[in-house]
């Protein structure tokens, strides 16, 4: 967890993610990665009694700005819903693909 940029609480991560999307609205990309990880203590040893749990480390990055959060097993559904809402609200500037209807119409003749 120390190797990540900024480990934030889930709500703070989502608000910072919105800010990253705003920065890259006209140009640039936001890179988001999900990594499965086992629960560990401060020294990096596995915690006893957490064998069934799997956490998820979520990272977002633009150029040199990096943020991350740790999603616990019990919070995964709630985070996924909030994350999908954040994506839906900020990904409206994508360019639409041109349909290949003209090519298909030319081939039928």
């Amino acid at each position: 967890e120390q190797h990540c940029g900024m480990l934030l609480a889930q709500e703070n991560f989502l608000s910072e993610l919105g800010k990253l999307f705003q920065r890259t609205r006209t140009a640039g990309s936001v890179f988001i990665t999900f990594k499965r990880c086992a629960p560990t203590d401060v020294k990096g040893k596995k915690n006893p009694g957490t064998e069934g749990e799997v956490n998820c480390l979520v990272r977002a990055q633009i150029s040199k700005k990096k943020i991350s959060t740790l999603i616990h097993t019990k919070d995964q559904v709630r985070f996924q819903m909030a994350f999908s809402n954040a994506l839906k609200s900020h990904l409206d500037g994508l360019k639409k693909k041109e349909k290949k209807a003209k090519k298909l119409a030319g081939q039928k003749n």
Side-chain angles (χ1 to χ4, degrees), residues 16-27:
E16 286 293 320
L17 183 63
K19 291 176 186 177
L20 294 181
F21 283 135
Q22 289 298 327
R23 281 190 199 173
T24 58
R25 194 150 197 69
T26 56

Side-chain angles (χ1 to χ4, degrees), residues 42-83:
V42 178
K43 296 178 183 176
K45 309 245 184 199
K46 288 190 176 182
N47 285 337
T50 59
E51 284 79 25
E53 294 184 26
V54 176
N55 294 335
C56 183
L57 180 66
V58 183
R59 297 177 181 142
Q61 174 182 355
I62 60 169
S63 61
K64 296 184 180 186
K65 172 90 173 164
K66 298 177 185 179
I67 59 172
S68 59
T69 189
L70 189 64
I71 311 301
H72 298 285
T73 305
K74 64 182 188 305
D75 299 329
Q76 287 179 356
V77 173
R78 186 179 56 81
F79 179 80
Q80 182 63 34
M81 297 295 287
F83 181 72

